Amino acid sequence: MKKAVIAMSGGVDSSVAAFLMKQRGYDCIGATMKLFDNEDIGVERERSCCSLSDVEDARSVAFGLGIPYFVFNFSDRFKQDVIDRFITAYENGRTPNPCIDCNRYLKFDKLFLRAKELNCDYVVTGHYAQIEYDEASGRYLLKKAADPDKDQSYVLYSMTQEQLAHTQFPLGGMTKPEVRKLAEENGFVNAKKRDSQDICFVPDGKYAEFITATTGKEYPEGDFVSTDGRVLGRHKGIIRYTIGQRKGLGLSFDRPMYVSAVDVEKNTVTLSPEEGLYTKSLIAKDINLISVERLTEPMRVKARVRYRHKEQPATVVQLDDDTLSVEFDQPQRAVTKGQSVVLYDGDKVVGGGTIEDVC
């Protein structure tokens, strides 16, 4: 009998994933990753996907399914590879994506290794995505979910071939209403639990306050400047601003103005009208390719530069082992350093990387 570790966050998706794997005859173990102490960050139960209080819901579902259940303390790794990276990005004028880092360093690295130690064949999560093996290329493919509104392939682009070979996404072919219906039919305590919307360790969305409280640092004020260098006012510290931001500037203009650049060395934040937010190309580093081992020639793709960004036609060229150049057919709004660009060929994920520069 094949053995699987189910990553159970306490939410309805991972609970139904556990149910489906048991139904398919797998020997299942439920596991919740303890990522932080609630009192450290003031997490409220209903505002987060990963709060410690969700353990009781995950434990309840595991008990009802008759599967063993464990809580693994990964808080040190979470601080190092998610929280610290989050803070460093903002300190360097970039905008991070901590959900991608959590998948990369926790679910499909730390938990993946723990699954191996437990002699498990698979790690299973409640993500909405699909994995297929392509006989022609001999590669595992990451594909979009059947439900386009729930597709989470964007946050999974960093998965390796080994990880894809030993991971299952049971919800990939389902819709959210179908998942909730299964949960209700089986009496799961979290059947109607709402989806988490916030970053788990910043549940109130106040990133700057979280950073200052965590680091104990004060981030100095500096100048808001125009694209031609004129001083427009004073900003309250660069960690408070990200590309495309309009609200919270504390300034009044005769037309809408947006953050279009953050210069850490000069401690300036550049403001421009909306047309100043558009760029046509980007450079991505720290890349991972899935459908191909390497891009040996320019490739036509659809590219997404944010989780909710509509895919746009583009041409990608691999410049070296760890660099991609992406040229869009049309200029894109607010392409942001630190975010990820993910490339698609139809419903297949070609790969992606972290946006390093825009032009």
Side-chain angles (χ1 to χ4, degrees):
M1 182 183 292
K2 294 286 187 180
K3 196 172 180 181
V5 167
I6 320 297
M8 301 181 71
S9 67
V12 64
D13 292 332
S14 56
S15 297
V16 171
F19 166 77
L20 291 172
M21 292 302 288
K22 186 180 179 190
Q23 194 177 53
R24 294 171 188 176
Y26 286 82
D27 180 9
C28 297
I29 297 173
T32 296
M33 300 184 297
K34 180 180 181 294
L35 303 178
F36 46 73
D37 291 322
N38 285 18
E39 56 270 22
D40 290 345
I41 60 171
V43 167
E44 298 173 13
R45 174 190 177 90
E46 290 297 328
R47 296 294 299 278
S48 164
C49 67
C50 310
S51 64
L52 186 58
S53 61
D54 286 330
V55 167
E56 60 194 64
D57 288 347
R59 193 190 310 275
S60 170
V61 171
F63 179 80
L65 292 174
I67 65 175
Y69 175 76
F70 300 94
V71 177
F72 298 140
N73 188 349
F74 294 159
S75 56
D76 287 348
R77 184 70 185 272
F78 187 76
K79 180 182 183 304
Q80 171 188 319
D81 286 321
V82 180
I83 294 179
D84 289 352
R85 291 171 66 91
F86 177 87
I87 292 171
T88 299
Y90 273 108
E91 289 180 333
N92 286 279
R94 299 158 68 89
T95 302
N97 195 319
C99 293
I100 288 177
D101 287 338
C102 187
N103 285 323
R104 181 175 185 176
Y105 298 109
L106 275 298
K107 287 189 182 77
F108 301 110
D109 186 358
K110 187 70 173 176
L111 184 61
F112 193 82
L113 293 174
R114 183 62 58 88
K116 280 187 174 182
E117 292 170 1
L118 294 170
N119 295 315
C120 290
D121 302 283
Y122 294 100
V123 168
V124 177
T125 74
H127 284 105
Y128 288 83
Q130 302 184 80
I131 298 171
E132 291 181 9
Y133 181 71
D134 179 44
E135 295 282 354
S137 65
R139 297 183 69 81
Y140 285 88
L141 304 178
L142 175 64
K143 305 182 77 172
K144 296 177 185 175
D147 183 349
D149 292 331
K150 295 301 295 182
D151 174 55
Q152 293 174 298
S153 58
Y154 175 86
V155 298
L156 299 167
Y157 79 88
S158 64
M159 293 184 70
T160 66
Q161 286 294 300
E162 182 186 10
Q163 290 164 352
L164 289 166
H166 296 281
T167 299
Q168 291 198 39
F169 300 133
L171 309 188
M174 301 178 67
T175 65
K176 187 70 177 206
E178 290 171 339
V179 169
R180 288 203 183 277
K181 183 180 178 184
L182 265 181
E184 290 178 8
E185 289 173 351
N186 287 276
F188 291 171
V189 66
N190 52 16
K192 296 183 179 180
K193 190 174 186 177
R194 67 181 182 179
D195 291 343
S196 59
Q197 300 294 329
D198 304 297
I199 294 174
C200 62
F201 56 92
V202 194
D204 59 6
K206 296 179 180 178
Y207 306 147
E209 285 78 356
F210 170 80
I211 292 171
T212 54
T214 302
T215 64
K217 296 179 184 177
E218 290 297 327
Y219 296 88
E221 294 185 357
D223 289 332
F224 281 121
V225 298
S226 64
T227 52
D228 59 5
R230 290 180 295 111
V231 175
L232 303 174
R234 298 287 286 174
H235 69 69
K236 296 181 180 180
I238 59 170
I239 63 167
R240 299 179 181 275
Y241 306 96
T242 189
I243 304 303
Q245 180 177 336
R246 177 184 173 188
K247 295 181 179 180
L249 302 180
L251 299 174
S252 179
F253 299 97
D254 58 1
R255 57 176 172 169
M257 296 288 278
Y258 302 82
V259 174
S260 60
V262 176
D263 189 319
V264 176
E265 290 185 5
K266 295 180 180 178
N267 193 28
T268 59
V269 175
T270 301
L271 304 181
S272 71
E274 185 170 15
E275 55 264 29
L277 296 177
Y278 286 83
T279 50
K280 199 173 181 184
S281 60
L282 64 84
I283 297 294
K285 294 277 193 179
D286 194 21
I287 68 173
N288 182 61
L289 298 176
I290 294 177
S291 65
V292 295
E293 184 175 351
R294 186 180 180 90
L295 295 170
T296 57
E297 57 186 19
M299 181 178 185
R300 291 291 293 169
V301 295
K302 294 287 186 71
R304 191 187 298 179
V305 296
R306 288 179 297 280
Y307 182 54
R308 292 298 181 190
H309 180 232
K310 184 178 179 181
E311 295 164 23
Q312 297 295 319
T315 300
V316 58
V317 176
Q318 184 167 355
L319 302 180
D320 58 39
D321 288 345
D322 199 37
T323 310
L324 297 175
S325 172
V326 180
E327 181 86 15
F328 291 94
D329 290 6
Q330 300 295 328
Q332 299 301 304
R333 186 183 188 278
V335 180
T336 306
K337 297 176 186 179
Q339 290 283 290
S340 293
V341 58
V342 179
L343 313 172
Y344 293 86
D345 178 10
D347 64 351
K348 295 185 300 186
V349 175
V350 176
T354 303
I355 299 171
E356 188 71 22
D357 202 4
V358 295
C359 48

